[in-house]
Amino acid sequence: GSFLKERPMPSKHIANITSLLKVRDALSEVQNAERTGSRVEADKMREGLTKAYDAYVKEFGTIHENRKLFDFDPSHYKLTALEKIDKKTKKVTGKADIFTQPTISALERATSATSYGDAISIVLNQSGIVDIKEIARLMQVDPDVAGQQLVEQGLAYNDPRDGWTVKDLYLSGEVRRKLREAIEAAAL
Protein backbone atom coordinates (compact mmCIF):
# COMPACT_ATOMS: atom_id res chain seq x y z
CA GLY A 1 0.00 0.00 0.00
CA SER A 2 0.90 3.62 -0.38
CA PHE A 3 2.48 5.43 2.52
CA LEU A 4 1.03 8.74 1.33
CA LYS A 5 -2.46 9.38 2.59
CA GLU A 6 -4.67 12.24 1.63
CA ARG A 7 -5.71 14.23 4.68
CA PRO A 8 -8.47 16.79 4.72
CA MET A 9 -7.27 20.33 5.35
CA PRO A 10 -9.39 23.01 7.01
CA SER A 11 -10.56 25.69 4.61
CA LYS A 12 -8.81 28.40 6.70
CA HIS A 13 -5.48 26.61 6.09
CA ILE A 14 -6.20 26.40 2.37
CA ALA A 15 -6.94 30.14 2.30
CA ASN A 16 -3.74 30.83 4.27
CA ILE A 17 -1.57 28.80 1.90
CA THR A 18 -3.27 30.26 -1.18
CA SER A 19 -2.54 33.77 0.07
CA LEU A 20 1.03 32.82 0.92
CA LEU A 21 1.54 31.47 -2.61
CA LYS A 22 0.67 34.94 -3.89
CA VAL A 23 3.47 36.33 -1.70
CA ARG A 24 5.87 33.68 -3.00
CA ASP A 25 4.98 34.43 -6.63
CA ALA A 26 5.34 38.18 -6.08
CA LEU A 27 8.76 37.58 -4.50
CA SER A 28 9.84 35.55 -7.53
CA GLU A 29 8.76 38.38 -9.82
CA VAL A 30 10.89 40.87 -7.87
CA GLN A 31 13.90 38.56 -7.93
CA ASN A 32 13.55 37.91 -11.66
CA ALA A 33 13.28 41.63 -12.40
CA GLU A 34 16.36 42.34 -10.28
CA ARG A 35 18.35 39.64 -12.10
CA THR A 36 17.60 41.24 -15.47
CA GLY A 37 18.78 44.61 -14.20
CA SER A 38 15.53 46.49 -14.72
CA ARG A 39 15.27 48.78 -11.68
CA VAL A 40 11.95 50.26 -12.84
CA GLU A 41 10.43 46.81 -13.36
CA ALA A 42 11.82 45.55 -10.04
CA ASP A 43 10.34 48.53 -8.19
CA LYS A 44 6.97 47.87 -9.83
CA MET A 45 7.15 44.19 -8.80
CA ARG A 46 8.26 45.28 -5.29
CA GLU A 47 4.94 47.17 -4.94
CA GLY A 48 3.10 43.95 -5.78
CA LEU A 49 5.15 42.05 -3.20
CA THR A 50 4.35 44.64 -0.54
CA LYS A 51 0.62 44.46 -1.31
CA ALA A 52 0.59 40.65 -1.25
CA TYR A 53 2.60 40.49 1.99
CA ASP A 54 0.56 43.18 3.75
CA ALA A 55 -2.69 41.45 2.75
CA TYR A 56 -1.34 38.14 4.06
CA VAL A 57 -0.24 39.60 7.41
CA LYS A 58 -3.54 41.45 7.84
CA GLU A 59 -5.51 38.26 7.27
CA PHE A 60 -3.32 35.57 8.85
CA GLY A 61 -0.50 37.15 10.88
CA THR A 62 3.21 37.00 10.17
CA ILE A 63 4.78 34.35 7.98
CA HIS A 64 6.79 33.10 10.96
CA GLU A 65 3.62 32.59 12.98
CA ASN A 66 2.27 30.36 10.20
CA ARG A 67 5.43 28.61 8.99
CA LYS A 68 4.32 25.13 10.07
CA LEU A 69 1.59 25.28 7.41
CA PHE A 70 4.06 25.56 4.54
CA ASP A 71 7.34 24.06 5.74
CA PHE A 72 6.81 21.35 3.09
CA ASP A 73 7.25 23.96 0.33
CA PRO A 74 10.79 24.06 -1.11
CA SER A 75 10.66 27.86 -1.14
CA HIS A 76 9.67 28.22 2.53
CA TYR A 77 13.12 29.57 3.41
CA LYS A 78 12.61 32.45 0.97
CA LEU A 79 9.29 33.30 2.56
CA THR A 80 10.58 33.27 6.12
CA ALA A 81 13.48 35.47 4.99
CA LEU A 82 10.96 38.20 4.14
CA GLU A 83 10.70 39.06 7.83
CA LYS A 84 13.33 40.46 10.17
CA ILE A 85 13.45 38.61 13.48
CA ASP A 86 14.74 39.80 16.85
CA LYS A 87 17.24 37.12 17.91
CA LYS A 88 16.40 37.43 21.59
CA THR A 89 12.62 37.61 21.49
CA LYS A 90 12.17 35.60 18.26
CA LYS A 91 9.50 38.13 17.25
CA VAL A 92 9.10 39.72 13.83
CA THR A 93 10.50 43.26 13.93
CA GLY A 94 9.90 44.32 10.34
CA LYS A 95 10.17 43.53 6.67
CA ALA A 96 13.33 42.43 4.89
CA ASP A 97 15.30 44.80 2.66
CA ILE A 98 13.83 43.38 -0.56
CA PHE A 99 10.64 45.35 0.14
CA THR A 100 12.47 48.69 -0.17
CA GLN A 101 15.68 48.18 -2.15
CA PRO A 102 17.45 45.88 -4.59
CA THR A 103 18.98 42.79 -3.02
CA ILE A 104 20.20 40.97 -6.15
CA SER A 105 22.77 42.37 -8.56
CA ALA A 106 22.08 41.96 -12.24
CA LEU A 107 24.37 39.59 -14.07
CA GLU A 108 27.00 41.61 -15.90
CA ARG A 109 27.98 40.34 -19.29
CA ALA A 110 31.70 39.75 -19.78
CA THR A 111 33.34 42.17 -22.20
CA SER A 112 36.62 40.32 -22.74
CA ALA A 113 38.61 37.21 -21.82
CA THR A 114 42.32 36.73 -21.25
CA SER A 115 42.51 33.21 -22.70
CA TYR A 116 40.51 30.92 -24.95
CA GLY A 117 39.88 28.66 -21.96
CA ASP A 118 38.32 31.59 -20.12
CA ALA A 119 36.36 32.63 -23.21
CA ILE A 120 34.84 29.19 -23.74
CA SER A 121 33.97 28.95 -20.03
CA ILE A 122 32.25 32.35 -20.11
CA VAL A 123 30.27 31.48 -23.24
CA LEU A 124 29.24 28.05 -21.96
CA ASN A 125 28.08 29.64 -18.71
CA GLN A 126 26.03 32.27 -20.56
CA SER A 127 24.46 30.16 -23.29
CA GLY A 128 25.35 26.51 -22.77
CA ILE A 129 26.78 26.20 -26.30
CA VAL A 130 30.11 26.87 -27.99
CA ASP A 131 29.22 30.16 -29.69
CA ILE A 132 32.25 30.88 -31.86
CA LYS A 133 31.16 34.45 -32.64
CA GLU A 134 30.86 35.28 -28.94
CA ILE A 135 34.24 33.69 -28.19
CA ALA A 136 35.76 35.75 -31.01
CA ARG A 137 34.16 38.90 -29.58
CA LEU A 138 35.57 38.20 -26.12
CA MET A 139 39.04 37.56 -27.54
CA GLN A 140 38.75 40.48 -29.98
CA VAL A 141 39.65 38.35 -32.99
CA ASP A 142 38.00 37.11 -36.18
CA PRO A 143 35.75 34.03 -35.72
CA ASP A 144 38.03 31.98 -38.00
CA VAL A 145 41.01 32.79 -35.77
CA ALA A 146 39.00 31.91 -32.66
CA GLY A 147 37.98 28.57 -34.16
CA GLN A 148 41.54 27.77 -35.18
CA GLN A 149 42.80 28.58 -31.66
CA LEU A 150 40.12 26.44 -29.99
CA VAL A 151 41.16 23.47 -32.13
CA GLU A 152 44.91 24.06 -31.68
CA GLN A 153 44.48 24.32 -27.92
CA GLY A 154 42.27 21.24 -27.85
CA LEU A 155 39.33 23.07 -26.27
CA ALA A 156 36.63 22.53 -28.92
CA TYR A 157 36.10 21.04 -32.36
CA ASN A 158 33.83 21.85 -35.28
CA ASP A 159 31.73 18.72 -35.67
CA PRO A 160 30.46 18.58 -39.30
CA ARG A 161 27.09 17.30 -38.04
CA ASP A 162 26.56 19.25 -34.80
CA GLY A 163 28.73 22.35 -35.19
CA TRP A 164 31.13 23.59 -32.52
CA THR A 165 31.35 21.16 -29.61
CA VAL A 166 33.50 21.05 -26.47
CA LYS A 167 36.40 18.62 -26.55
CA ASP A 168 34.94 16.11 -24.07
CA LEU A 169 31.72 15.66 -26.05
CA TYR A 170 33.40 15.57 -29.43
CA LEU A 171 35.98 12.97 -28.40
CA SER A 172 33.40 10.61 -26.90
CA GLY A 173 30.46 8.64 -28.16
CA GLU A 174 30.46 7.57 -31.80
CA VAL A 175 34.07 8.56 -32.49
CA ARG A 176 34.40 6.37 -35.61
CA ARG A 177 31.39 8.06 -37.20
CA LYS A 178 32.75 11.46 -36.21
CA LEU A 179 36.15 10.66 -37.72
CA ARG A 180 34.54 9.47 -40.96
CA GLU A 181 32.41 12.64 -41.15
CA ALA A 182 35.42 14.85 -40.40
CA ILE A 183 37.46 13.18 -43.18
CA GLU A 184 34.56 13.59 -45.62
CA ALA A 185 34.12 17.26 -44.64
CA ALA A 186 37.86 17.92 -45.04
CA ALA A 187 37.77 16.39 -48.55
CA LEU A 188 35.18 18.92 -49.72
Side-chain angles (χ1 to χ4, degrees):
S2 174
F3 64 91
L4 296 176
K5 297 194 190 297
E6 187 175 327
R7 295 184 315 186
M9 183 178 278
S11 60
K12 67 178 183 174
H13 289 182
I14 293 171
N16 185 316
I17 292 170
T18 301
S19 182
L20 194 58
L21 291 176
K22 291 176 184 175
V23 175
R24 183 197 63 189
D25 294 345
L27 173 61
S28 293
E29 289 176 355
V30 172
Q31 291 173 327
N32 289 336
E34 286 185 354
R35 278 188 204 98
T36 63
S38 172
R39 177 71 189 254
V40 172
E41 185 69 17
D43 286 345
K44 181 180 171 187
M45 297 296 113
R46 205 176 318 285
E47 290 174 16
L49 173 60
T50 300
K51 286 179 185 175
Y53 175 82
D54 289 347
Y56 178 84
V57 171
K58 182 177 180 182
E59 181 82 17
F60 302 105
T62 67
I63 291 172
H64 276 78
E65 292 169 348
N66 291 285
R67 69 180 175 267
K68 289 192 187 317
L69 286 176
F70 63 92
D71 62 358
F72 62 89
D73 188 312
S75 61
H76 75 277
Y77 67 94
K78 290 180 181 181
L79 293 167
T80 56
L82 288 174
E83 297 173 328
K84 292 180 180 179
I85 304 293
D86 182 290
K87 290 180 182 178
K88 290 180 182 176
T89 66
K90 307 285 189 216
K91 299 285 184 190
V92 173
T93 60
K95 297 177 185 176
D97 291 343
I98 197 164
F99 286 96
T100 58
Q101 64 192 29
T103 58
I104 299 174
S105 298
L107 182 63
E108 293 184 30
R109 189 173 177 195
T111 57
S112 65
T114 57
S115 71
Y116 283 93
D118 288 347
I120 200 168
S121 293
I122 291 167
V123 170
L124 286 171
N125 184 43
Q126 289 175 345
S127 66
I129 62 169
V130 179
D131 181 343
I132 202 72
K133 290 179 182 175
E134 182 64 8
I135 291 169
R137 183 190 71 77
L138 290 169
M139 294 303 296
Q140 301 172 359
V141 297
D142 185 72
D144 291 337
V145 172
Q148 181 181 359
Q149 287 298 311
L150 289 174
V151 171
E152 285 179 14
Q153 294 180 28
L155 297 170
Y157 298 97
N158 195 358
D159 184 334
R161 179 188 282 184
D162 299 323
W164 284 97
T165 307
V166 292
K167 167 187 73 174
D168 296 338
L169 288 178
Y170 188 71
L171 298 177
S172 64
E174 299 178 45
V175 292
R176 289 184 180 152
R177 174 195 54 84
K178 292 176 183 178
L179 176 61
R180 192 174 46 254
E181 289 174 351
I183 291 170
E184 290 171 6
L188 296 176

